[in-house]
Amino acid sequence: MWIDIFAYNDNVPPPIVIAPRIPQGYVLRCIIYNTEDVILDETNVLGESMSDIYVKCFLEGEKKEKQETDVHYRSLTGEGNFNWRMVFPMDFILQEHKMVQKKKGKFWHIEKSVKKVDPIFHVEVYDKDVLSRDDLLGWTEMDLTRLPAPTKTAQECTLEIYENEALHPRMSLFEKKKIHGFWPVFDDSMGIRELTGKVEMELEILTEEEAAERPAGKAREEPNTNPSLEEPSRPETSFNWFTNPWKVFKILVWRRYRWHILISLIVILLIMFVILMLYSAPGAINDAIWTK
C-alpha cells in the first residue's frame, strides 16, 4: 500500500500514475546468411571430416518457440549457406529494457502470469544426426540492448568481440534498428571458452506497425521481401545421402574410382571372353575334324 498525506490547503499535487507500463509490440527479424569455420564433428566413409550444419535461434524464455534453418549437408570446410529468415514477435518495455511474456501456469489457473525478462537472443549451431541426438557445436547469447559490434568479415571475427568492449562497443538494436555482420559462437562446456564457428546474420527490430508496412515471410516463404532471399548456392555434395543413393554413388565412388571401375570391367570382360573361348574351343575343333 502507498499512502500520501498532505496539509489541508490548495497545494495538494496531482496524483501520480503508478499503473504498470504497457509494453509495445515489436518484431525481431533475424536472417542467417552463412556460417564459417564451424568445427567438423563427424567423419564420412572416405575418412573426411565434415558436419551437417544448421542454426537454431530463440528468445530468452521462449525456447519452445525456437526456429531453425534447413540443413547444409556434408560441409567439408565449416561453411554453411542458408539465406534463411526467422521472425520473432515480442512485447517490450523500452524504458525498462525488459521483454514482457504472458504464460499460462497450471491448468487450473484462470489468468496468465506476467513475467519480465531481459531481451536475450540465443543463437545455436548444430550438427544434424540421423540415429542420435543432434550435436550442439557452438552457441552465443546476446542482449539486444547491448549487442557487441560484429565484424565485417569472417577473418576478423574472434572471441574478442565479447571480451573487448573498447574495440567492439555495445549498441542497442532498438536504437540502431538493423545490424549486419559476423558473430562468433563458442563452446565453454569444459570451463574454457573455445571458438567453434562464426555466423553471418542480420538482426532488425521493427514495431508492429513497421512490420505490417514492410512484410516479410519466414524462411524464404512469401512475402519474400525486405529483403528478398534467394536459394543458397551450395556444393553438389550438400544433400541428404539417405534419399539420394545414386547421387551418393556418383559423387563418392564414380568420381574418385571411375578409372579403376572401368579397367576392372574391361579385365572381367576379357577374362569372361577367354573362358568362353576355352569352353567352346574343344567342341569347335571336334566339329571341324568330323566335318572333314
Side-chain angles (χ1 to χ4, degrees):
M1 181 183 294
W2 182 4
I3 299 176
D4 280 340
I5 300 176
F6 300 95
Y8 189 74
N9 53 39
D10 296 332
N11 296 323
V12 177
I16 299 174
V17 178
I18 60 173
R21 291 188 176 100
I22 300 176
Q24 183 178 357
Y26 286 88
V27 175
L28 172 65
R29 292 177 182 171
C30 170
I31 301 176
I32 304 295
Y33 286 105
N34 303 292
T35 62
E36 296 284 350
D37 301 330
V38 173
I39 60 171
L40 305 178
D41 192 52
E42 297 180 351
T43 304
N44 64 20
V45 294
L46 298 177
E48 298 172 323
S49 297
M50 64 168 198
S51 283
D52 298 329
I53 302 171
Y54 72 94
V55 182
K56 180 187 298 183
C57 300
F58 58 93
L59 288 167
E60 181 74 16
E62 298 285 354
K63 192 168 185 177
K64 291 183 179 180
E65 307 300 324
K66 64 183 180 296
Q67 298 178 39
E68 58 189 50
T69 66
D70 60 348
V71 181
H72 182 120
Y73 288 101
R74 304 304 185 266
S75 173
L76 303 177
T77 62
E79 179 183 357
N81 312 116
F82 301 99
N83 292 349
W84 194 275
R85 182 187 291 109
M86 304 179 188
V87 181
F88 301 91
M90 58 186 292
D91 292 327
F92 187 73
I93 300 177
L94 194 59
Q95 298 87 343
E96 301 180 17
H97 289 184
K98 294 289 185 180
M99 291 190 300
V100 177
Q101 298 173 348
K102 297 180 180 180
K103 294 184 178 181
K104 189 72 177 292
K106 304 296 183 180
F107 69 91
W108 60 80
H109 291 173
I110 299 176
E111 297 182 353
K112 293 182 178 180
S113 59
V114 178
K115 185 179 180 181
K116 295 181 180 180
V117 299
D118 293 326
I120 305 297
F121 186 59
H122 296 257
V123 179
E124 299 177 343
V125 178
Y126 283 84
D127 170 56
K128 183 73 173 179
D129 287 328
V130 176
L131 303 178
S132 61
R133 175 180 291 184
D134 297 347
D135 299 318
L136 178 57
L137 303 179
W139 59 88
T140 186
E141 303 173 359
M142 297 186 290
D143 189 334
L144 298 180
T145 62
R146 295 191 73 254
L147 279 172
T151 60
K152 294 182 179 180
T153 65
Q155 291 74 19
E156 300 172 306
C157 185
T158 67
L159 291 176
E160 193 177 51
I161 287 179
Y162 305 125
E163 299 163 355
N164 192 333
E165 290 194 28
L167 293 178
H168 301 276
R170 301 314 187 236
M171 58 185 69
S172 172
L173 184 61
F174 295 90
E175 296 176 0
K176 298 288 289 185
K177 296 299 184 181
K178 183 188 293 187
I179 303 174
H180 176 245
F182 286 86
W183 283 273
V185 294
F186 54 85
D187 181 0
D188 58 0
S189 57
M190 301 301 292
I192 300 176
R193 184 175 286 184
E194 175 187 0
L195 178 66
T196 56
K198 305 161 186 180
V199 180
E200 180 189 6
M201 64 180 173
E202 178 181 282
L203 296 175
E204 183 179 17
I205 195 74
L206 304 96
T207 64
E208 290 180 339
E209 294 76 14
E210 292 170 336
E213 294 173 359
R214 301 174 52 239
K218 293 181 180 179
R220 293 181 292 275
E221 299 173 357
E222 295 299 331
N224 187 4
T225 56
N226 302 305
S228 176
L229 300 176
E230 298 179 355
E231 289 283 339
S233 177
R234 291 172 176 168
E236 191 178 9
T237 54
S238 179
F239 64 93
N240 190 340
W241 291 11
F242 289 95
T243 59
N244 297 274
W246 171 246
K247 200 171 183 179
V248 173
F249 172 80
K250 184 174 71 171
I251 292 175
L252 277 186
V253 181
W254 182 250
R255 285 187 177 179
R256 294 171 178 267
Y257 305 108
R258 59 179 177 273
W259 293 114
H260 298 78
I261 294 172
L262 290 173
I263 293 172
S264 299
L265 288 174
I266 292 172
V267 171
I268 291 172
L269 289 174
L270 288 174
I271 292 174
M272 292 178 63
F273 178 76
V274 171
I275 291 175
L276 288 174
M277 288 287 294
L278 294 175
Y279 178 78
S280 59
I285 295 171
N286 186 57
D287 292 341
I289 294 174
W290 286 101
T291 52
K292 291 181 179 180

